[in-house]
Amino acid sequence: MEGFWCFVFVAGTIGALVWQFIETRGAVATTTVVTSYAPDDAARIVQGAFGGPRAVFWTTAGGPGTINMRRRGVRGGITMSIDIRPRPGGGSQVDMWASETAIYLGVLVNFAGVVNRRKRAIARLLDTSASPAVR
């Protein structure tokens, strides 16, 4: 029976490390969203994704994007950068990535899952397929 629990512990630990590695790769990769919102409207929507109750956990930071938000946390947290560019035919292209991270064990990033969830939330907010007509 001890062998079974030892296996469960080792498999669980390896599984957690693999899951965190996958979350890390997703956080540092650039996620691109194309939307029909004008750049100013897209910027307001993105800023709103960090407001409300979430504003306690996120703060404005310096970085390479149009909008840079740092997650407050241990060892400086993680900075999420968002770049918003106009598209030639109208609308915007929004690129999101983790521009500054705290790395553990050479591969694991602090708060990677939080950035991935913010990316998905912003992508949903910018999805204009179910939105009313854009100005």
Side-chain angles (χ1 to χ4, degrees):
M1 190 65 164
E2 293 86 21
F4 171 75
W5 290 114
C6 183
F7 171 77
V8 167
F9 176 75
V10 170
T13 301
I14 291 172
L17 289 173
V18 167
W19 173 76
Q20 183 61 36
F21 179 78
I22 292 168
E23 287 285 316
T24 295
R25 295 299 112 206
V28 297
T30 300
T31 300
T32 300
V33 177
V34 175
T35 182
S36 61
Y37 285 112
D40 292 339
D41 293 334
R44 270 193 295 282
I45 290 169
V46 169
Q47 287 286 4
F50 294 99
R54 283 177 221 77
V56 172
F57 300 109
W58 292 92
T59 185
T60 305
T66 306
I67 299 170
N68 300 285
M69 300 299 289
R70 183 179 59 80
R71 173 71 181 215
R72 297 171 201 241
V74 180
R75 292 180 59 198
I78 187 169
T79 300
M80 183 174 173
S81 293
I82 300 109
D83 196 23
I84 303 170
R85 294 188 311 250
R87 292 179 43 86
S92 304
Q93 176 175 323
V94 180
D95 296 320
M96 303 174 278
W97 71 98
S99 59
E100 188 175 321
T101 60
I103 298 178
Y104 302 101
L105 304 174
V107 294
L108 305 178
V109 172
N110 187 23
F111 292 119
V114 172
V115 168
N116 290 331
R117 287 190 295 278
R118 276 301 87 207
K119 283 181 175 183
R120 285 191 297 272
I122 291 168
R124 278 193 308 272
L125 290 170
L126 293 172
D127 179 18
T128 55
S129 62
S131 300
V134 178
R135 299 175 241 152

